[in-house]
Amino acid sequence: MPKSAADQQPSQGRRTFMKQSLALATSGLVINPALTTGAFAASSELIKVGLVGCGGRGTGAAAQTLRADPNVELVAMADSFGDHLEQSYQNLKKTDVQDRVKVDAEHKFVGFDAYQKLIDSGVDLVLLATPPHFRPQQLKACIDAGKHVFCEKPVAVDAPGIRSVLKTTAEAKKKNLTIVSGLCWRYEPGMQEMVDKIHNGGIGDIVSLQSIRFLGGVAKMVKRKPEWSDMEYQMRNWYYYTWLSGDFNTEQFVHELDKQSWVMGEYPVRCYSTGGRQTRTGSDYGQIFDHFSTVYEYANGAKFLASTRHQLGCSSMFVDTVAGTEGTATLMKYQIEGKNPWKGGRRRGNMHQLEHDAMYKALRNGEIINNGEYMANSSMMGIIARMSAYTGKTLTWEQAMNSQEDLSPEKYDMAMSLPEPKVATPGVTPFV
């Protein structure tokens, strides 16, 4: 895939980046001579995979990783809940790749420490698909243990988590370990061509960007059982708790934030955002908002308006546009209007599958993909907007990145009680 803009340092100017990116014939891969005769360079070499996080996305990722390479086996699974793990296992055994789902009872790990047991079980590559809160800790454990990683989005829920991921990313580069991100639009050929046209001057200089994603409700809620602790209830309804999901603008809207960051080639210098709860008002909706509207400002004066909502009974909308001095690009239509009109084709292939295909192709070629920097910084785009909306404050990128707010609980114990989560009140909730 083309080298992404977000692989560059945010401080680089867009023009400088464009010249550099156009000169690169690489695809974002790091070709290391030491790896060309590595463990997986031979297509016949078995790659043993472990899945951490056995929900719907994790189950899908496991099936896609098995379809990506005929000499890959799923040999271990881990989840906080045994029923989730077993359901995922049974679903995978009904797929077209069921013969390579080889997880015996001794390699089904349950509990908060299940990920570490899986890492220590002899796997070569780990799929991380737990709630985003756990991603920094688990990614670090994988890289520390010398494992390649496929890491779902987003990668953290707070700034300390982002800083951890960036540090782990640097360590992975030193160790020649793969980190492939679940920000799958970067692997979709049509979108690659669309962004390449913009980077080659198809709309001139970028003036403004806009992303709108208006949907109904997304995540199902699980009704509380009397025997469940606060921890278990919140874990089973993780989407609705900020400490676990980062709020929905971080967990889901990150795809749009990442697409526009890819287009822009740098990250904003400041952000101001608003949001709240108009329809998801009951306590069973945890503490997350149901709408956000954010403005990101860039060093060159460009602005990015990003709006998203989850409200039933409202009009749906899903659009990303980029306005330049010589035209306008509509990303989801693969279209440019203006001085250099262009119309691309529709999506070519399943982008969730394509990212797994690219990961194994690189490993077989003795190459490494490391998406860590852009997956961290694009996740931070959602976090800074949430912090701004929750507090009502305009925040600089530097302020947000240096935030000390750590959303982690005091400990991880499935039997523990947790305080009732507070819904943020702009102007009252402090920025930390």
Side-chain angles (χ1 to χ4, degrees):
M1 69 181 220
K3 190 172 181 66
S4 64
D7 283 330
Q8 307 299 312
Q9 292 298 319
S11 60
Q12 286 185 290
R14 183 171 176 271
R15 283 294 189 186
T16 300
F17 163 71
M18 296 305 176
K19 292 177 182 177
Q20 291 175 343
S21 64
L22 293 175
L24 290 173
T26 68
S27 59
L29 302 177
V30 177
I31 303 175
N32 189 319
L35 295 176
T36 57
T37 57
F40 309 129
S43 61
S44 60
E45 185 104 23
L46 176 66
I47 301 178
K48 295 180 290 183
V49 174
L51 169 64
V52 179
C54 300
R57 182 76 285 271
T59 304
Q64 286 150 359
T65 221
L66 293 174
R67 293 184 185 115
D69 189 292
N71 287 308
V72 170
E73 291 182 357
L74 183 69
V75 300
M77 299 174 71
D79 197 275
S80 296
F81 301 111
D83 57 327
H84 285 182
L85 190 156
E86 194 57 35
Q87 184 63 60
S88 176
Y89 174 78
Q90 294 300 329
N91 288 339
L92 287 167
K93 292 299 284 186
K94 297 174 184 176
T95 66
D96 58 312
V97 288
Q98 60 181 284
D99 60 317
R100 286 186 283 126
V101 178
K102 298 183 177 180
V103 186
D104 57 31
E106 288 72 30
H107 289 84
K108 294 179 178 179
F109 305 108
V110 176
F112 282 115
D113 63 349
Y115 75 96
Q116 190 64 61
K117 292 177 180 177
L118 180 142
I119 291 169
D120 295 338
S121 70
V123 297
D124 303 307
L125 186 148
V126 180
L127 311 175
L128 293 180
T130 53
H133 167 79
F134 299 101
R135 211 90 76 217
Q137 177 189 36
Q138 293 172 354
L139 180 63
K140 181 180 185 301
C142 288
I143 299 305
D144 285 349
K147 310 300 180 183
H148 300 290
V149 179
F150 170 80
C151 187
E152 259 303 340
K153 56 75 192 171
V155 295
V157 298
D158 52 31
I162 293 295
R163 295 195 296 268
S164 172
V165 170
L166 288 170
K167 186 176 180 180
T168 298
T169 293
E171 188 64 21
K173 288 182 179 179
K174 293 177 184 177
K175 291 186 172 184
N176 297 313
L177 293 171
T178 287
I179 300 178
V180 168
S181 169
L183 290 167
C184 48
W185 280 105
R186 299 213 185 204
Y187 287 84
E188 200 282 303
M191 194 60 68
Q192 290 173 350
E193 187 176 5
M194 174 81 262
V195 175
D196 186 60
K197 290 288 183 182
I198 297 172
H199 286 175
N200 277 283
I203 61 171
D205 294 330
I206 294 176
V207 176
S208 65
L209 310 94
Q210 183 180 49
S211 290
I212 298 173
R213 190 168 184 172
F214 292 164
L215 299 171
V218 174
K220 294 181 181 179
M221 287 183 289
V222 180
K223 188 175 181 181
R224 186 163 187 165
K225 293 183 179 180
E227 65 270 22
W228 286 355
S229 67
D230 296 336
M231 177 64 82
E232 179 161 0
Y233 176 71
Q234 291 188 24
M235 287 280 289
R236 288 184 179 274
N237 287 281
W238 63 269
Y239 195 89
Y240 296 98
Y241 293 91
T242 303
W243 76 272
L244 286 161
S245 70
D247 211 315
F248 86 97
N249 77 305
T250 303
E251 202 286 328
Q252 186 187 58
F253 197 52
V254 66
H255 280 298
E256 282 58 63
L257 302 178
D258 181 60
K259 274 182 282 183
Q260 297 288 33
S261 296
W262 181 16
V263 166
M264 193 62 193
E266 58 187 284
Y267 287 90
V269 295
R270 71 172 184 162
C271 160
Y272 37 99
S273 183
T274 188
R277 289 160 63 104
Q278 294 177 316
T279 60
R280 292 200 291 218
T281 57
S283 60
D284 52 349
Y285 288 106
Q287 69 196 111
I288 67 171
F289 283 7
D290 59 21
H291 65 282
F292 286 87
S293 185
T294 306
V295 176
Y296 300 95
E297 292 188 351
Y298 293 85
N300 68 350
K303 294 183 179 181
F304 171 25
L305 174 60
S307 297
T308 185
R309 73 181 179 201
H310 282 173
Q311 295 175 341
L312 293 172
C314 300
S315 298
S316 295
M317 185 177 293
F318 190 9
V319 63
D320 302 294
T321 57
V322 185
T325 54
E326 296 180 353
T328 300
T330 305
L331 302 188
M332 301 298 288
K333 290 184 178 180
Y334 306 94
Q335 180 174 313
I336 289 176
E337 296 176 299
K339 182 178 179 181
N340 306 297
W342 172 81
K343 177 67 176 174
R346 294 179 179 273
R347 283 193 230 173
R348 288 166 261 169
N350 181 332
M351 57 189 176
H352 291 288
Q353 183 62 56
L354 290 169
E355 57 193 353
H356 289 267
D357 295 348
M359 179 169 65
Y360 291 104
K361 180 180 179 182
L363 286 171
R364 296 301 188 189
N365 288 334
E367 300 165 344
I368 292 299
I369 299 175
N370 190 320
N371 301 150
E373 290 180 17
Y374 78 66
M375 74 182 191
N377 286 313
S378 291
S379 296
M380 191 64 203
M381 291 277 285
I383 293 169
I384 187 177
R386 184 200 71 226
M387 290 193 292
S388 178
Y390 276 17
T391 64
K393 306 296 184 182
T394 297
L395 300 173
T396 68
W397 185 262
E398 183 178 8
Q399 281 178 304
M401 284 293 286
N402 290 323
S403 168
Q404 299 304 303
E405 182 181 39
D406 186 338
L407 300 182
S408 305
E410 292 182 3
K411 60 180 179 178
Y412 297 101
D413 182 346
M414 199 59 75
M416 71 184 287
S417 298
L418 292 171
E420 184 69 21
K422 293 182 179 180
V423 177
T425 303
V428 176
T429 298
F431 171 76
V432 180

